[in-house]
Amino acid sequence: MCVPFVPARGSKQDIFSFPDIYRAYLSCRKNKRSTINALKFEIEAEENILRLEKELKSKSYHPSRSILFTTQKPKLREIFAADFRDRVVHHLLIQQLENIWEPIFIHDSYACRIGKGTHKAALRLQTFLRRITNNSRTRAYFLQLDIKDFFTSIDKELLFTIIQRKVRNPDILWLTRVVLFWDCTKSYILRGSNAAIKHISANKSLFGKENKRGLPIGNLTSQVFANIYLNELDQFVKHTLRCRYYLRYVDDFVLLSQNRDELVYWQGAIDRFVQERLSIALHPVRRKLLPVSNGIDFLGYVIRHNYILVRRRVVNNLKAQIKAFKQTKVKDWKKFQDTVASYIGHLKWANSFKLRSKLLKGLVSL
């Protein structure tokens, strides 16, 4: 989750000032305060911030070891989690980059932008459906695409070149290069099973890429870097292809048109653009070109012009969580309540009153 902080006055020139680092620290700890590394940093926060300030100003800063682990859902992933101290630096860098890119980004790119989460993206897509179909009185089609192995395929040198076009501050460029080209595969602590890491396919891992491609999933900077990288695609779709109804969430994007042939042409143009200009590729299988009357499966919802349903997989996952909790002898009520609250929050954005009522009745008996 992206949490903004307000930079101190005058920090535009001196981005490594104590007040700015302190504000980055406050922003960072909002969601990480209970972690061990965050608590260690907080015990001597002033000294740690002063040390960071000195290292950044002298250009002697370099990231610490990451924590490497895997997640199983929604699929097996390799996660490199930065140390809390480095997360503070990430927040500091992100604020500077966002100040430059937010005015440039198109309105309808979502993820890791303030006020532009999954729910806003789903509602915006529904608005597009209502407009293009004239509330279902006009036939229309959708093209849904995503990038193959996106985060592990990003070309670092190309990304840095894109950033260089807009950034003039040498301190921002220096810190961007330090963070972007830090090879987390050379300095990490493994948490969990080494066997799980070995089951991750080579194209979905950062290992073996010689630090030329890939951003670590788990770093906040990776999400911002991803938006900067795919902003090139956004600008192409909006200004060259002139697609009026286009929406992107990370690397999953949807285009709408009343003309099916237009979408076929756009798909070919996008396919060529991402290969030639961004050195990435569209996923060969996850491509859909269908009437919007079929509903659009997007961000955990099935979206139509007049209602939104929750994906069956999301509901099944919640039911599996409830079943597993019932069978657990030593119950962690707090963790379970947080999990259920998260799912119910997701369901509330859809037309799911009856479903939520049924699920909540089942929870009462626990």
Side-chain angles (χ1 to χ4, degrees), residues 69-82:
F69 60 95
T70 59
T71 60
Q72 300 291 331
K73 292 185 178 181
K75 52 190 173 183
L76 185 62
R77 291 181 183 272
E78 169 191 276
I79 308 294
F80 284 92

Side-chain angles (χ1 to χ4, degrees), residues 66-102:
S66 299
I67 302 298
L68 170 61
F69 60 95
T70 59
T71 60
Q72 300 291 331
K73 292 185 178 181
K75 52 190 173 183
L76 185 62
R77 291 181 183 272
E78 169 191 276
I79 308 294
F80 284 92
D83 184 76
F84 181 82
R85 178 176 181 270
D86 297 322
R87 290 174 184 267
V88 173
V89 175
H90 292 175
H91 277 258
L92 183 69
L93 175 60
I94 285 168
Q95 178 62 35
Q96 298 299 325
L97 294 176
E98 286 182 342
N99 287 342
I100 297 168
W101 259 275
E102 274 300 323

Side-chain angles (χ1 to χ4, degrees), residues 78 80 151 156 184 206 214-219 222:
E78 169 191 276
F80 284 92
F151 277 96
K156 290 188 174 186
C184 54
L206 294 183
L215 302 178
I217 297 174
N219 281 3
S222 296

Side-chain angles (χ1 to χ4, degrees), residues 172-207:
I172 299 175
L173 282 175
W174 169 79
L175 186 55
T176 298
R177 178 171 279 282
V178 168
V179 173
L180 176 59
F181 289 96
W182 176 254
D183 189 354
C184 54
T185 67
K186 303 296 184 184
S187 181
Y188 64 89
I189 301 172
L190 177 63
R191 293 278 172 83
S193 171
N194 191 45
I197 298 292
K198 292 180 179 179
H199 279 93
I200 297 174
S201 61
N203 58 317
K204 295 185 182 298
S205 173
L206 294 183
F207 289 97

Side-chain angles (χ1 to χ4, degrees), residues 73-229:
K73 292 185 178 181
K75 52 190 173 183
L76 185 62
R77 291 181 183 272
E78 169 191 276
I79 308 294
F80 284 92
D83 184 76
F84 181 82
R85 178 176 181 270
D86 297 322
R87 290 174 184 267
V88 173
V89 175
H90 292 175
H91 277 258
L92 183 69
L93 175 60
I94 285 168
Q95 178 62 35
Q96 298 299 325
L97 294 176
E98 286 182 342
N99 287 342
I100 297 168
W101 259 275
E102 274 300 323
I104 300 172
F105 288 153
I106 67 169
H107 177 81
D108 290 306
S109 70
Y110 292 78
C112 203
R113 296 181 66 194
I114 305 306
K116 292 182 180 290
T118 56
H119 304 132
K120 290 294 180 67
L123 292 176
R124 180 67 168 171
L125 181 55
Q126 186 180 50
T127 298
F128 282 174
L129 288 174
R130 289 171 176 168
R131 290 177 182 173
I132 199 167
T133 64
N134 192 19
N135 282 323
S136 200
R137 289 191 286 272
T138 304
R139 188 173 180 83
Y141 302 86
F142 74 92
L143 172 65
Q144 186 171 11
L145 304 167
D146 72 5
I147 305 298
K148 183 178 185 295
D149 305 321
F150 174 55
F151 277 96
T152 54
S153 298
I154 290 175
D155 186 312
K156 290 188 174 186
E157 283 292 352
L158 178 55
L159 172 58
F160 190 71
T161 299
I162 292 169
I163 293 172
Q164 278 183 307
R165 292 176 196 158
K166 299 295 182 183
V167 175
R168 294 292 177 263
N169 188 314
D171 288 339
I172 299 175
L173 282 175
W174 169 79
L175 186 55
T176 298
R177 178 171 279 282
V178 168
V179 173
L180 176 59
F181 289 96
W182 176 254
D183 189 354
C184 54
T185 67
K186 303 296 184 184
S187 181
Y188 64 89
I189 301 172
L190 177 63
R191 293 278 172 83
S193 171
N194 191 45
I197 298 292
K198 292 180 179 179
H199 279 93
I200 297 174
S201 61
N203 58 317
K204 295 185 182 298
S205 173
L206 294 183
F207 289 97
K209 292 186 168 53
E210 300 180 350
N211 201 30
K212 294 180 179 180
R213 286 183 180 268
L215 302 178
I217 297 174
N219 281 3
L220 193 56
T221 48
S222 296
Q223 299 175 50
V224 176
F225 287 152
N227 275 340
I228 292 172
Y229 203 70

Side-chain angles (χ1 to χ4, degrees), residues 233 236 241 263-275:
L233 171 64
F236 173 74
L241 300 184
L263 289 174
V264 171
Y265 169 75
W266 285 348
Q267 177 175 322
I270 290 170
D271 205 349
R272 290 189 296 274
F273 179 86
V274 297
Q275 290 187 58

